[in-house]
Amino acid sequence: MMGHEPRQTTSNIGHLNKPSIQALIHGLNRHYYSIGIAYKKTGLEENMLMNLHKTVWTEALEMNDFKMEAQKNEERLNRLVGLSEGYEKRVKEETELSKDQLKTRYVGKVDPKKRMLCQVLFSAFLKPC
């Protein structure tokens, strides 16, 4: 050992995983190795991670931005005005058409009365129809 530094050598040969076929295809034979590492979380750590992105009860008490709410209200009112105009037009047409014509006249078209009721009754409480 004259002229050599005393070094400690360690080995991980017993803990290496053999390279996969895909790694061999890509030429990672000598320069590739992976060490199997096992780690288990305790129950407390799992609970902490499960609660990490949970919503807090105080989020329901937070106020939305007033400008955004004003824009949403304006959009809702514009939709309501359009639906009421469509409903008025439909009522006028229904007085002029016969019963046979009424059966096929509005097939596949939006019913303004149903949409108005849905929007007015449920817009503040549920997702839009």
Side-chain angles (χ1 to χ4, degrees), residues 108-122:
K109 295 186 180 174
V110 176
D111 185 8
K113 181 179 179 181
K114 183 179 177 183
R115 287 292 171 130
M116 275 186 1
L117 288 174
C118 185
Q119 184 175 350
V120 169
L121 295 177
F122 300 116

Side-chain angles (χ1 to χ4, degrees), residues 2-16:
M2 296 284 279
H4 294 287
E5 291 183 30
R7 294 188 181 182
Q8 181 181 7
T9 57
T10 58
S11 175
N12 56 6
I13 292 174
H15 302 288
L16 291 179

